Amino acid sequence: MIATTIEAGDDLPLTVPALLRERCSQHGERVLLSCDDEALTYADADRRSRALARGLLALGAGNGTHIGLLHPNGGEFVVAWLAAARIGAVTVPLSTFSTSAELRTLLRGADVGILLAARSFRSHDYAATLRSALGEPGLGAGPPLLVGSVPRLRHVFFAAGGTGRPEPEAPETPEAPDGGVGAAWSVAALERRGAEVGDELLAAAEESVHPSDRLVIVHTSGSTSAPKGVIHTHGALIRHQANLNEIRRYTPDEVLFSNSPFFWVGGFAYALLGTLVAGGRLVCSNAQAAAGVLDVLERERPTMVNGYAQSVAGLPADPTFPGRDLSSIRRGNLYSIMPAEVRPADPGLRHQMLGMTEAGSVCLVSEDEGDQPEHRRGSFGRPAPGLEARVVGEDGTVLGPSLVGELWLRGPFLMEGYYGRERHEVFDADGWYHSGDLFAVDADGFFYFQGRRGDLIKTGGANVSPSEVEAAIREVAGLTAHVVGLEDAARGQIVAAAVRVPPGRHVDADELRRGLAERLSAYKVPRRVVLLADDEVPTMSSGKIDMPALKELLRAAG
């Protein structure tokens, strides 16, 4: 049922432990997650998260403990999240793109006390990244950690990786003299500690979790360089996903493919939590080759597809694509892989969705998946159930139809707030959240995106703050830069930087990018760098940077 309040008097479980119990009783042997060659059933998720939850309880973790997750999409992430949620701990998903500096900032800013991580994924060595983040030569000696750079962090436990396969039995040597990771830091060791915890304690911990308790802190780059930790509670996030499931008709019979990372709100809430609420099956892939992703799609037969369109845009170019049977896909927003009979001839005439971390995923949406009339081109639908939305001018006046202003949101399904920030810093006196997005609304209540008040760059589904990249260039090279987003067919936008080079200074653009790659996630490193003398930077008569002219200059340089 659609409900505009969290407690609606129906039978929907409003905590993750209660929801997991109910779904396991209904669908125990059905698959919850298929990721490449891994299949995790609801019963598997219950059994494995139970063992890990016991280990966490043995450490003293419980309601309110902040537990970081550094895993790619897959069973290890799901099991770790469920284990933390079962005991009332607050999950803090961490980007697998993080550099050591970014990881240190996230761990410290979110007061993470326990970190559950993959040892490595693709080219990332997370043990090495963490050692660098902590400023420690190794993780050889056993816990607890006592490190000034991340003072709340006491325990780190590494799984075998993002594969979801059982972790090999670790040797009993507690130390790793080579500066590596000792056996005491393994998930297997944590689970062995949990053997001393009985069913009664775990059951009591689960019963002590309430809908108003914090479930997750999801980070967003926002419109400034400092990442913001967005807090969501069990009841609000579950009810919101239940409403969205009603709108998109996500039932236990559906199979959802999503390419959204679980550490961002689209993957965590709209895909993963939404699947648990629906009792459906979620499909994902970490394959780097297009053929590998297509293998998963063809084998798993998803009925719905959702996520970042740019991430699948290259799949039709794979030579095997014409022979693939993707006829099971009937709905979604990844149009490039949908069969011709359900793919829109003009995507601009289909309603889009607006999602934001602060709104627990989608906040503007429409249940009408058909083509719209021309006058509704570019519509993002209406506010999701339980959310109010208005378009407001700079003077605080609510604007009428077709006038452009800032989108404000209010309702019980919005975030609790930003971690470490007072409520009055996040919401106004009447409870409105000022989004920073510019919209217009028509006479029928449909919303149309017009841009962003800040100049946030959206590249491949990820948000990049220009000020963060500019600050990194100052720190790496001591140079002033102007960073903007340029339109790109494959990624939506790319990050581009105009770097001011003073007379007599030699700068190598490739060397600068290599230096930035040590401080920034790969998607934040400018793909285009143009070196300019001060008098080559376009300015207006006021002396301010002429941003349209600067973008044109950067565009022409490509």
Side-chain angles (χ1 to χ4, degrees):
M1 62 173 282
I2 294 284
T4 56
T5 58
I6 296 169
E7 297 279 0
D10 58 3
D11 296 327
L12 178 67
L14 291 174
T15 69
V16 168
L19 184 62
L20 178 62
R21 283 197 302 272
E22 181 170 292
R23 294 299 175 260
C24 285
S25 68
Q26 296 169 328
H27 311 300
E29 297 308 317
R30 293 180 60 177
V31 173
L32 164 63
L33 176 74
S34 298
C35 189
D36 298 315
D37 60 353
E38 173 188 11
L40 183 76
T41 67
Y42 282 85
D44 292 335
D46 176 51
R47 173 182 53 80
R48 290 176 55 189
S49 65
R50 178 182 297 274
L52 187 53
R54 285 173 167 171
L56 293 170
L57 287 171
L59 286 183
N63 196 286
T65 303
H66 289 196
I67 298 180
L69 301 187
L70 183 60
H71 282 289
N73 286 13
E76 296 287 0
F77 185 105
V78 175
V79 169
W81 162 56
L82 290 173
R86 292 178 79 144
I87 64 171
V90 182
T91 301
V92 184
L94 302 166
S95 170
T96 56
F97 298 127
S98 297
T99 65
S100 59
E102 291 168 330
L103 184 60
R104 179 171 56 249
T105 297
L106 295 172
L107 292 170
R108 186 181 182 112
D111 289 328
V112 171
I114 300 170
L115 176 63
L116 304 175
R119 286 181 183 269
S120 62
F121 176 64
R122 294 181 178 169
S123 62
H124 297 277
D125 181 340
Y126 295 124
T129 300
L130 184 63
R131 289 197 298 269
S132 177
L134 299 179
E136 292 288 293
L139 294 170
L145 278 170
L146 296 169
V147 181
S149 59
V150 187
R152 295 289 183 92
L153 186 64
R154 290 292 179 269
H155 300 275
V156 180
F157 298 100
F158 291 98
T163 64
R165 302 185 183 93
E167 184 176 359
E169 197 67 24
E172 291 301 321
T173 53
E175 298 187 359
D178 62 353
V181 178
W185 301 100
S186 70
V187 168
L190 176 60
E191 291 179 342
R192 285 195 293 272
R193 291 188 63 170
E196 65 195 60
V197 175
D199 287 337
E200 299 82 4
L201 179 56
L202 178 58
E206 292 183 353
E207 288 300 322
S208 71
V209 181
H210 301 289
S212 59
D213 288 344
R214 293 176 174 180
L215 170 63
V216 67
I217 297 174
V218 184
H219 283 93
T220 177
S221 63
S223 57
T224 67
S225 60
K228 296 187 288 289
V230 177
I231 306 166
H232 287 288
T233 60
H234 284 253
L237 202 57
I238 288 172
R239 176 64 71 184
H240 186 43
Q241 302 317 307
N243 284 343
L244 295 174
N245 283 353
E246 289 275 347
I247 291 170
R248 60 175 169 167
R249 305 190 301 281
Y250 193 3
T251 69
D253 298 324
E254 300 288 348
V255 180
L256 170 65
F257 170 80
S258 176
N259 59 3
S260 301
F262 291 167
F263 53 75
W264 284 329
V265 77
F268 181 85
Y270 198 60
L272 179 53
L273 181 58
T275 295
L276 187 63
V277 171
R281 174 156 60 98
L282 177 61
V283 176
C284 61
S285 176
N286 293 315
Q288 292 183 275
V293 180
L294 291 169
D295 287 344
V296 171
L297 289 168
E298 199 167 29
R299 181 184 70 238
E300 300 298 333
R301 308 285 296 164
T303 57
M304 305 162 57
V305 290
N306 176 259
Y308 299 121
Q310 296 93 340
S311 297
V312 297
L315 295 185
D318 186 82
T320 68
F321 185 82
R324 300 286 189 163
D325 179 8
L326 304 181
S327 59
S328 62
I329 302 172
R330 310 311 297 169
R331 293 183 287 125
N333 71 338
L334 303 181
Y335 297 139
S336 63
I337 59 174
M338 293 171 63
E341 61 269 21
V342 295
R343 186 190 314 144
D346 185 347
L349 294 180
R350 294 281 176 95
H351 289 295
Q352 302 177 63
M353 298 183 297
L354 178 69
M356 62 176 65
T357 311
E358 291 85 351
S361 72
V362 175
C363 55
L364 295 179
V365 65
S366 175
E367 62 185 10
D368 184 351
E369 297 178 344
D371 291 345
Q372 301 302 302
E374 182 61 38
H375 72 270
R376 201 159 284 155
R377 176 181 291 277
S379 163
F380 276 71
R382 296 183 170 115
L387 294 179
E388 299 176 74
R390 57 173 48 166
V391 174
V392 180
E394 292 185 4
D395 61 355
T397 303
V398 179
L399 301 179
S402 302
L403 297 176
V404 177
E406 184 181 16
L407 177 69
W408 290 11
L409 296 168
R410 184 171 67 177
F413 307 139
L414 284 182
M415 62 177 172
E416 177 185 299
Y418 293 129
Y419 186 69
R421 301 267 293 273
E422 298 295 328
R423 183 173 176 83
H424 68 82
E425 299 179 78
V426 181
F427 301 99
D428 68 20
D430 295 317
W432 290 98
Y433 167 66
H434 302 190
S435 73
D437 291 322
L438 298 178
F439 271 81
V441 61
D442 67 19
D444 297 318
F446 290 92
F447 285 73
Y448 301 82
F449 181 65
Q450 305 295 316
R452 308 185 81 91
R453 271 184 58 180
D455 292 313
L456 202 65
I457 301 166
K458 192 144 191 164
T459 178
N463 291 336
V464 178
S465 166
S467 60
E468 181 183 13
V469 181
E470 290 166 359
I473 292 172
R474 282 196 300 273
E475 293 170 9
V476 168
L479 297 170
T480 298
H482 308 287
V483 174
V484 300
L486 299 180
E487 295 74 17
D488 180 76
R491 302 183 63 81
Q493 287 182 302
I494 61 169
V495 181
V499 180
R500 293 178 181 246
V501 181
R505 173 80 182 272
H506 172 73
V507 176
D508 184 286
D510 291 334
E511 184 177 342
L512 173 60
R513 294 182 75 255
R514 286 192 292 270
L516 292 172
E518 296 178 3
R519 302 187 63 86
L520 299 171
S521 295
Y523 65 88
K524 299 178 183 177
V525 176
R527 289 176 172 254
R528 186 170 303 168
V529 174
V530 175
L531 307 175
L532 299 173
D534 281 347
D535 60 2
E536 294 177 314
V537 177
T539 58
M540 297 183 290
S541 57
S542 63
K544 294 183 178 180
I545 303 299
D546 186 340
M547 294 307 292
L550 182 67
K551 284 189 175 184
E552 187 56 41
L553 187 155
L554 286 165
R555 197 176 292 115

